[in-house]
């Protein structure tokens, strides 16, 4: 069965709404499947859409050279020049290693500067916009994420903050000091006003994004909206509430008369910047097929999917092929990364707040009523592993960027109660877990690094651990080889043995009763395996081939798919689901 992956509203995230001239605004989405969508919109809501093919998934940084020319960057290895009037663009290779560039690209003396973490070091690229030449600066700071650029300063965050000074004439970067207290809440304001933004005694707990005359504007991000705050030098007040917005997606017109927003979902709003009165709403042309993170079958006719970083979910009717975008799946920004379907309810665990939501497919979808939040463990960020133990749904979520360790959370479907345990394995995160049938134990594997390698490991080595499924404490543990960054528990290999994989691709079998006893297996490195509910039987993806294997033998049982493009494989009950950039392939009953 083949069906199109449904379109959803493309996610406009991590990208500041950039004012170009007095009354035009630019923002762009992130989409690693369909490519980036850019929008230029006026205060009247009239918009032009720009589509960029892959590898241009997104441009978190943008600066204007003039009213018709933008420089865009989302990856350290390339910079794009866009003509707004014609829609033409050119991409320039920088010679740098790939790395995700966040907001804050700096333009000074006819040059651009961007900084990004490449997986090993944080590098910078300076680009001459006249000569179209680039220079790569290696290992410029231990911090990972670009946050702002103003004057000759680049602001970096995570694990600490640092202000780097750039001499564009000599093309040199100089290490700086930690950012002043409160600067992180004023990065956008600093980009606009420079150091003067630090002199104002602005209220705390607000992300300040712009100012006009003596009126300062900030935002408090809530579950599904932003509370816009206006401060006049003496008092602050709530001006308005903008749905699905944050401090990055808001801006003022040049005369300070209007507040505008292009929300996370590509909807335009305009407000009176003094009274807060809502004046205009437009739905922009920003639908696209997103990268599918999770997939679950709800019934004979319905499959539910969640696209990357849009915090939305969709369903598709397997009989008609019709897809429906159901809107928000969880609070905040991010996406659903773990799912369960039990008792007629879909359960969805969300990055970036670690919340668990419950969705009843028999009722209309309308967040926050359906889906609704049923668990919200503190200090949780990205759900990375999950299992079920009776009526309990159990999942592990990493701590926020720059922090080691994790949070284990549980939710009881029968009672509605939930709880959590913070840092059960100190300084390590549990990134794989499986309930051991017939016991109250969970076999799990840890990782030494923080989420996205945002802080260097402090614990050594990574571990196999047995968790108590009732109180989530560690009952036993076994150290892995010292060169292993993480260990993954994939599933059962036979009635007593479990299939595990080290970070270097080596496979081994172990038993919960003897964690320190391993048997290394002669299996190919680099293949992706997905467990079924039959011991030893796995769906294996190796390149473009999707096959069914008995890994205990080992022996191939069947070839399921050989066409290129599959990037996600999901196993549920007796069926296998394959996702390509535009298509959902359902292989019913193959298990």
């Amino acid at each position: 069965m083949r069906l199109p992956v449904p379109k959803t509203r493309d996610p406009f995230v991590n990208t500041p709404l950039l004012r170009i001239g007095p009354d035009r605004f630019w923002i762009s989405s992130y989409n690693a499947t369909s490519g980036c969508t850019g929008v230029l919109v006026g205060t009247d809501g009239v918009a032009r859409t720009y589509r960029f093919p892959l590898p241009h998934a997104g441009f978190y940084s943008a600066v204007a050279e003039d009213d018709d020319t933008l420089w865009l960057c989302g990856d350290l290895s390339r910079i794009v020049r866009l003509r707004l009037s014609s829609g033409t663009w050119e991409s320039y290779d920088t010679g740098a290693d790939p790395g995700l560039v966040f907001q804050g690209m700096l333009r000074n003396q006819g040059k651009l500067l961007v900084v990004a973490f490449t997986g090993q070091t944080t590098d910078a690229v300076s680009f001459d916009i006249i000569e179209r030449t680039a220079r790569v600066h290696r290992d410029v700071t231990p911090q990972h994420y670009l946050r702002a650029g103003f004057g000759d300063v680049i602001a970096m965050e995570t694990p600490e903050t640092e202000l780097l000074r750039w001499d564009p004439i000599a093309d040199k970067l100089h290490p700086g000091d930690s950012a002043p207290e409160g600067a992180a809440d004023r990065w956008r304001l600093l980009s606009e006003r420079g150091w003067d933004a630090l002199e104002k005694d602005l209220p705390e707990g607000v992300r300040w994004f712009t100012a006009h005359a003596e009126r300062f504007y900030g935002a408090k991000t809530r579950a599904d909206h932003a509370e816009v705050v206006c401060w006049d030098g003496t008092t602050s007040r709530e001006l308005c509430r903008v749905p699905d917005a944050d401090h990055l997606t808001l801006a003022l017109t040049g005369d300070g008369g209007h507040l505008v927003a292009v929300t996370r979902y590509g909807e335009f709003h305009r407000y009176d910047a003094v009274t807060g009165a809502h004046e205009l709403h437009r739905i922009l042309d920003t639908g696209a097929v997103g990268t599918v993170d999770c997939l679950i079958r709800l019934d004979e006719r319905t499959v539910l999917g969640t696209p990357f970083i849009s915090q939305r979910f969709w369903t598709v009717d397997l009989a008609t092929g019709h897809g429906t975008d159901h809107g928000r799946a969880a609070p905040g920004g991010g996406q659903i990364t773990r799912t369960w379907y039990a008792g007629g309810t879909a359960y969805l665990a969300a990055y970036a707040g670690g919340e668990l939501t419950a969705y009843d497919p028999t009722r209309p979808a309308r967040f926050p009523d359906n889906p609704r939040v049923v668990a919200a463990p503190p200090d949780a960020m990205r759900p990375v592993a999950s299992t079920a133990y009776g009526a309990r749904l159990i999942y592990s979520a990493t701590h926020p960027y720059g922090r080691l360790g994790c949070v284990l959370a549980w939710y009881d479907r029968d009672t509605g109660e939930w709880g959590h345990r913070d840092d059960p394995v100190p300084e390590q995160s549990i990134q794989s877990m499986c309930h051991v049938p017939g016991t109250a134990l969970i076999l799990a594997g840890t990782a030494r690094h923080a989420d996205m390698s945002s802080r260097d490991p402090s614990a050594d080595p990574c571990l196999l651990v047995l968790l108590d499924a009732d109180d989530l404490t560690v009952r036993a543990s076994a150290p892995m080889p010292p060169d292993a960054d993480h260990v993954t528990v994939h599933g059962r290999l036979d009635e007593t043995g479990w299939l595990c994989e080290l970070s270097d691709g080596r496979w081994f079998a172990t038993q919960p009763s003897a964690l320190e006893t391993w048997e290394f297996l002669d299996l190919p490195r680099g293949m992706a395996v997905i467990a079924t509910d039959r011991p030893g039987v796995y769906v294996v993806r190796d390149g473009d081939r999707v096959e069914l294997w008995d890994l205990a033998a080992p022996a191939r049982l069947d070839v399921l798919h050989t066409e290129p493009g599959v990037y996600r494989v999901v196993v549920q009950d007796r069926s296998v689901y394959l996702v390509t950039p535009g298509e959902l392939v359902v292989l019913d009953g193959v298990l």
Side-chain angles (χ1 to χ4, degrees):
M1 194 184 314
R2 295 173 179 266
L3 308 105
V5 175
K7 287 185 177 182
T8 52
R9 305 293 299 169
D10 226 19
F12 289 77
V13 292
N14 295 330
T15 308
L17 187 62
L18 176 67
R19 189 178 75 221
I20 303 169
D23 56 7
R24 294 191 305 163
F25 300 86
W26 165 268
I27 198 168
S28 60
S29 74
Y30 190 93
N31 191 317
T33 289
S34 299
C36 177
T37 297
V39 170
L40 181 69
V41 61
T43 52
D44 56 2
V46 175
R48 177 174 179 177
T49 302
Y50 303 76
R51 305 279 185 177
F52 298 87
L54 295 177
H56 304 292
F59 302 112
Y60 285 165
S61 263
V63 296
E65 181 181 344
D66 53 48
D67 286 350
D68 192 42
T69 308
L70 294 185
W71 289 94
L72 309 171
C73 188
D75 190 287
L76 199 63
S77 65
R78 52 188 174 269
I79 288 176
V80 168
R81 181 176 185 261
L82 170 67
R83 287 285 188 185
L84 293 170
S85 56
S86 65
T88 58
W89 54 273
E90 304 89 32
S91 179
Y92 301 94
D93 291 337
T94 65
D97 294 333
L100 188 60
V101 173
F102 288 94
Q103 66 272 6
M105 177 162 52
L106 192 62
R107 183 170 74 90
N108 197 331
Q109 298 292 324
K111 293 180 180 177
L112 308 172
L113 183 70
V114 286
V115 187
F117 180 60
T118 65
Q120 298 296 325
T121 60
T122 300
D123 299 342
V125 167
S126 58
F127 186 84
D128 190 312
I129 63 178
I130 305 300
E131 301 294 333
R132 308 289 199 267
T133 56
R135 179 181 176 186
V136 179
H137 304 259
R138 305 286 185 185
D139 200 10
V140 297
T141 174
Q143 319 316 328
H144 287 191
Y145 304 133
L146 176 62
R147 286 293 178 252
F150 47 97
D152 61 354
V153 173
I154 282 279
M156 301 293 301
E157 277 188 350
T158 308
E160 312 298 339
T161 62
E162 186 178 3
L163 301 179
L164 300 178
R165 289 196 175 273
W166 180 42
D167 180 348
I169 302 300
D171 203 2
K172 292 183 178 180
L173 273 167
H174 303 284
D177 298 324
S178 297
E181 188 73 24
D185 286 339
R186 308 185 189 190
W187 287 145
R188 282 198 73 191
L189 197 59
L190 281 160
S191 295
E192 184 176 297
R193 288 209 163 190
W195 292 107
D196 290 346
L198 289 174
E199 297 177 0
K200 297 293 183 180
D201 188 20
L202 299 172
E204 297 180 354
V206 179
R207 291 293 183 96
W208 300 98
F209 61 87
T210 194
H212 181 79
E214 289 305 309
R215 294 198 312 269
F216 289 78
Y217 294 83
K220 298 178 181 179
T221 302
R222 303 308 187 196
D224 60 355
H225 67 276
E227 294 178 8
V228 179
V229 174
C230 180
W231 184 75
D232 63 7
T234 56
T235 61
S236 63
R237 60 188 172 92
E238 181 182 315
L239 182 70
C240 57
R241 297 188 176 191
V242 185
D244 301 313
D246 59 33
H247 71 290
L248 293 176
T249 57
L250 300 157
L252 281 178
T253 54
D255 62 3
H258 301 280
L259 175 78
V260 299
V262 175
T263 72
R264 166 177 291 271
Y265 302 129
E267 297 190 23
F268 175 82
H269 292 269
R270 190 184 75 210
Y271 300 81
D272 185 292
V274 177
T275 68
H278 189 259
E279 300 175 332
L280 187 65
H281 172 225
R282 293 283 186 271
I283 298 177
L284 308 181
D285 177 23
T286 63
V289 173
T291 301
V292 176
D293 272 345
C294 295
L295 205 71
I296 48 173
R297 183 80 165 260
L298 302 183
D299 55 41
E300 287 298 315
R301 291 188 54 158
T302 312
V303 168
L304 179 150
T306 66
F308 175 71
I309 211 167
S310 75
Q311 209 60 294
R312 295 175 84 83
F313 72 111
W314 50 256
T315 58
V316 61
D317 188 313
L318 299 182
T320 66
H322 176 70
T324 303
D325 180 351
H326 290 290
R328 268 193 178 273
Q335 72 270 356
I336 301 302
T337 61
R338 311 297 299 183
T339 56
W340 300 259
Y341 184 65
T345 300
Y347 295 93
L348 317 168
Y351 163 83
E355 303 93 346
L356 182 70
T357 65
Y359 168 62
D360 181 351
T362 66
R363 297 174 48 229
R366 185 173 56 248
F367 181 84
D369 299 318
N370 188 37
R372 62 188 177 90
V373 176
V374 295
D379 293 323
M381 187 180 71
R382 188 193 309 273
V384 291
S386 59
T387 192
Y389 167 57
R392 275 195 171 196
L393 307 179
I394 300 171
Y395 62 100
S396 169
T398 58
H399 281 148
Y401 295 120
R403 285 182 55 191
L404 296 164
C406 72
V407 176
L408 281 182
W410 60 268
Y411 171 74
D412 191 304
R413 296 187 292 107
D414 290 341
T415 66
E417 295 177 328
W418 68 274
H420 77 286
R421 181 172 294 278
D422 190 71
D423 227 8
V425 183
E427 305 283 282
Q428 301 203 41
S429 62
I430 293 171
Q431 300 216 348
S432 60
M433 59 167 65
C434 297
H435 172 238
V436 181
T439 75
L441 298 172
I442 294 171
L443 181 61
T446 75
R448 299 171 55 240
H449 53 77
D451 197 283
M452 297 296 291
S453 299
S454 56
R455 181 182 285 273
D456 291 336
S458 63
D460 189 27
C462 64
L463 305 169
L464 273 179
V465 297
L466 272 181
L467 301 170
D468 187 304
D470 291 311
D471 63 14
L472 303 183
T473 58
V474 176
R475 295 272 295 271
S477 65
M480 295 293 100
D483 57 346
D485 183 65
H486 63 265
V487 58
T488 302
V489 179
H490 286 290
R492 289 189 294 172
L493 194 60
D494 51 37
E495 291 303 324
T496 59
W498 290 76
L499 178 67
C500 302
E501 183 184 9
L502 294 172
S503 53
D504 62 8
R506 287 181 292 168
W507 303 87
F508 67 94
T510 191
Q511 295 187 17
S513 60
L515 290 186
E516 296 190 9
T517 302
W518 315 335
E519 178 190 353
F520 280 100
L521 305 173
D522 187 18
L523 297 175
R525 300 190 185 194
M527 64 179 184
V529 301
I530 303 95
T532 71
D533 59 7
R534 295 159 57 191
V537 178
Y538 285 78
V539 176
V540 174
R541 179 163 63 91
D542 190 358
D544 292 331
R545 297 179 65 85
V546 180
E547 300 174 342
L548 189 64
W549 276 74
D550 179 353
L551 293 180
R556 184 174 62 198
L557 303 177
D558 198 3
V559 177
L560 302 179
H561 192 80
T562 58
E563 298 174 26
V566 172
Y567 67 84
R568 183 79 67 238
V569 179
V570 175
V571 172
Q572 185 178 338
D573 300 324
R574 297 290 181 231
S575 299
V576 176
Y577 305 85
L578 312 177
V579 187
T580 73
E583 193 173 50
L584 171 62
V585 181
V586 181
L587 306 176
D588 263 338
V590 296
L591 302 181

